[in-house]
Amino acid sequence: MPDNIKKTDVLIIGASASGLMCAIEAGKRGRNVIVLDHANKAGKKILMSGGGRCNFTNSDIDASNYISHNEHFCKSALSRYTQWDFIAKVIDYNIPYHERDLGKLFCDDSAKDILNMLLVECTKANVSIHLNSNIEAIIKTDEQSFLIETAEKVYRTKSLVVACGGLSIPKMCASPLGYKIAEQFSHNIFPTSAGLVPFTLQPHDKDKLEVLSGVSVETNVKNSVVEFNKENILFTHRGLSGPAILQISSYWKAGEVIHINLLPSSDVRNLLKLRQRKQPNIKLKTVLNEHLPKRLITVLFKQTLIDKPLQELSKIVIGDIANKLHDWQIKPNGTEGYRTAEVTLGGVDCNELSSKTMESKKVNGLYFIGEVVDVTGWLGGYNFQWAWSSGWCAGQVV
Ligand SMILES: Cc1cc2nc3c(=O)[nH]c(=O)nc-3n(C[C@H](O)[C@H](O)[C@H](O)COP(=O)(O)OP(=O)(O)OC[C@H]3O[C@@H](n4cnc5c(N)ncnc54)[C@H](O)[C@@H]3O)c2cc1C
């Protein structure tokens, strides 16, 4: 065995949300902690999150905001380290923040505030972070410890924490290492796929909708299993994006049609009938443009129809218009994939981990936390809360 082996109580792979939280907690308990990351900087995803302002948690966190093959698994961690615990930390560090729609909490200034807070906490807890570390092999030795070989060093640890995230945004240093480690130790892995990701469109829809690039509309969006209400969709030059689309994308199966209510706060049928009585000569487009962007109306309906005065519209035509606006159906061609996905669905099977400690039930001393685990949150700060909560739980015992 090489004599340049560096011994440590805890070795964490991944210096980002879940890994840093785990490191802080373990360090506070007096454990010797080393965090390895192949990136040249810690917390790259934290820095790019929430449009640079990091949606660090949500004021309303519930297990139903998470997707997993085991819907109960996340409950323990989320209740032991809650959003209020993280908010207390943010307040303690005087980080200015605000609440947006649907309970989303963002930094007022910059995501850097969250990362700096975590790094200061790491320093206080004597955590060593080794960046640019390329992991070459992991070996479980007989004496219940792990050897982790990097190009430069070999580390020996009793507790190995896998916090190296999912596959989304390879440019931001995402890699499959976490899944490979799980595989090496015979863990079941649920197939992974891109989540919280924009849709691409079928060629005929793309041609038709491309002119709407930049248009954003508040909608209700649903498929056969879930509905997201009062969130925006955004037409882009590549397809469909915006919070409502990202949310439904995590539940979408290839070939499935998405139902979009483009005017969720009005009853189009009643609205048109009422205006027909009051202003029979007003044009359909004038009325619709009061509620929806002009460009969208022009793409959805024939010019000859929207130029008509309301008095010329039959009950059936009004019904058709209402149906189209309240249940606009679109069959995406696919998603933009890991290149732009915010998260990775699937991952390490929760049933093979302790929900209290995140330790493997198969291999003593091996832990999986954060996104590599088969727990995926909705858009809105839920994914960071999972990273904080699962990292905190492992940090209490490693
Ligand atoms: C653009 C974008 C915006 C987002 N915005 C939000 C938001 O506002 N709110 C929210 O809740 N969630 C957001 N998310 C999701 C959130 O960033 C993740 O769920 C969260 O960062 C997961 O934390 P993690 O620690 O498990 O993994 P990560 O944060 O992905 O960290 C994994 C770490 O492991 C390192 N690593 C990977 N492979 C290796 C390897 N082979 N060797 C060594 N190190 C390795 C990486 O360099 C990285 O530092 C966003 C994601 C993206 C992509």
Side-chain angles (χ1 to χ4, degrees):
M1 214 172 276
D3 27 288
N4 65 338
I5 292 184
K6 176 117 185 100
K7 283 189 192 160
T8 182
D9 297 327
V10 182
L11 188 134
I12 300 170
I13 304 175
S16 189
S18 61
L20 294 178
M21 178 56 96
C22 179
I24 292 162
E25 289 303 312
K28 284 204 287 202
R29 288 172 41 240
R31 307 289 282 157
N32 206 316
V33 184
I34 293 177
V35 187
L36 301 184
D37 202 299
H38 65 169
N40 60 0
K41 204 174 174 156
K44 284 192 175 190
K45 274 205 189 147
I46 299 175
L47 291 177
M48 76 185 303
S49 67
R53 290 222 160 83
C54 187
N55 178 194
F56 55 83
T57 191
N58 194 291
S59 60
D60 188 15
I61 299 264
D62 187 80
S64 61
N65 304 120
Y66 292 87
I67 303 164
S68 171
H69 289 82
N70 178 344
E71 62 193 88
H72 303 294
F73 181 81
C74 63
K75 289 179 183 170
S76 168
L78 292 172
S79 67
R80 291 178 70 218
Y81 188 81
T82 68
Q83 69 272 40
W84 309 113
D85 294 316
F86 194 80
I87 293 165
K89 208 186 253 297
V90 168
I91 292 171
D92 206 30
Y93 275 75
N94 291 317
I95 297 175
Y97 71 95
H98 61 279
E99 183 164 335
R100 295 193 192 162
D101 63 317
L102 305 170
K104 298 169 191 154
L105 300 182
F106 284 79
C107 295
D108 285 357
D109 300 328
S110 167
K112 273 187 207 154
D113 290 346
I114 298 293
L115 180 58
N116 289 343
M117 172 182 83
L118 297 171
L119 293 176
V120 168
E121 293 250 291
C122 279
T123 307
K124 283 189 194 163
N126 290 319
V127 170
S128 305
I129 301 174
H130 299 188
L131 299 170
N132 299 305
S133 293
N134 290 308
I135 287 136
E136 293 181 340
I138 292 173
I139 300 150
K140 178 95 167 91
T141 66
D142 294 340
E143 70 256 44
Q144 298 297 304
S145 63
F146 298 87
L147 288 181
I148 294 93
E149 295 180 9
T150 69
E152 300 77 24
K153 270 198 186 86
V154 179
Y155 300 84
R156 188 211 297 273
T157 186
K158 280 241 154 76
S159 293
L160 174 63
V161 184
V162 180
C164 46
L167 299 169
S168 37
I169 323 249
K171 266 192 186 162
M172 283 292 133
C173 299
S175 87
L177 180 67
Y179 307 114
K180 285 191 176 157
I181 298 172
E183 226 166 59
Q184 178 184 340
F185 291 104
S186 305
H187 270 267
N188 181 40
I189 297 159
F190 286 109
T192 55
S193 61
L196 299 180
V197 62
F199 284 135
T200 55
L201 298 173
Q202 313 267 358
H204 61 277
D205 285 328
K206 185 166 186 282
D207 290 347
K208 203 168 91 183
L209 300 175
E210 220 162 18
V211 292
L212 295 178
S213 180
V215 169
S216 171
V217 192
E218 191 186 76
T219 59
N220 292 350
V221 174
K222 67 177 179 184
N223 69 353
S224 52
V225 289
V226 71
E227 176 161 5
F228 291 95
N229 291 332
K230 302 278 174 84
E231 296 209 61
N232 278 29
I233 63 166
L234 171 70
F235 294 87
T236 71
H237 61 283
R238 287 194 296 266
L240 280 178
S241 187
I245 295 298
L246 300 187
Q247 298 283 35
I248 201 91
S249 74
S250 295
Y251 290 87
W252 181 73
K253 301 268 174 289
E256 193 186 21
V257 168
I258 299 297
H259 299 259
I260 303 178
N261 184 345
L262 292 163
L263 253 181
S265 43
S266 310
D267 180 330
V268 173
R269 203 180 304 255
N270 285 346
L271 182 121
L272 290 180
K273 280 185 187 162
L274 199 76
R275 293 293 286 274
Q276 200 176 35
R277 276 202 300 275
K278 282 189 176 165
Q279 296 169 282
N281 292 321
I282 195 168
K283 285 186 176 165
L284 174 61
K285 67 180 175 194
T286 313
V287 179
L288 293 182
N289 288 344
E290 289 167 10
H291 300 273
L292 286 165
K294 251 187 202 161
R295 276 197 277 165
L296 180 60
I297 301 300
T298 317
V299 165
L300 290 179
F301 300 104
K302 288 199 173 117
Q303 195 64 39
T304 45
L305 175 68
I306 58 176
D307 280 339
K308 281 191 180 167
L310 293 188
Q311 64 181 345
E312 285 181 26
L313 303 182
S314 68
K315 244 187 189 176
I316 292 174
V317 171
I318 287 181
D320 289 345
I321 295 166
N323 286 345
K324 186 145 196 185
L325 291 175
H326 287 314
D327 187 20
W328 183 53
Q329 299 183 15
I330 190 109
K331 192 180 186 178
N333 198 27
T335 74
E336 288 186 5
Y338 294 120
R339 191 177 61 79
T340 58
E342 286 200 11
V343 284
T344 304
L345 293 154
V348 178
D349 187 345
C350 299
N351 291 334
E352 297 177 351
L353 304 177
S354 153
S355 62
K356 194 170 175 209
T357 64
M358 305 293 138
E359 188 176 12
S360 161
K361 289 179 182 170
K362 297 189 154 190
V363 184
N364 288 343
L366 179 65
Y367 298 78
F368 293 90
I369 56 175
E371 199 176 316
V372 72
V373 179
D374 174 36
V375 173
T376 307
W378 288 4
L379 186 84
Y382 299 101
N383 284 296
F384 276 134
Q385 187 58 45
W386 170 246
W388 315 136
S389 297
S390 57
W392 185 91
C393 285
Q396 307 309 307
V397 293
V398 284

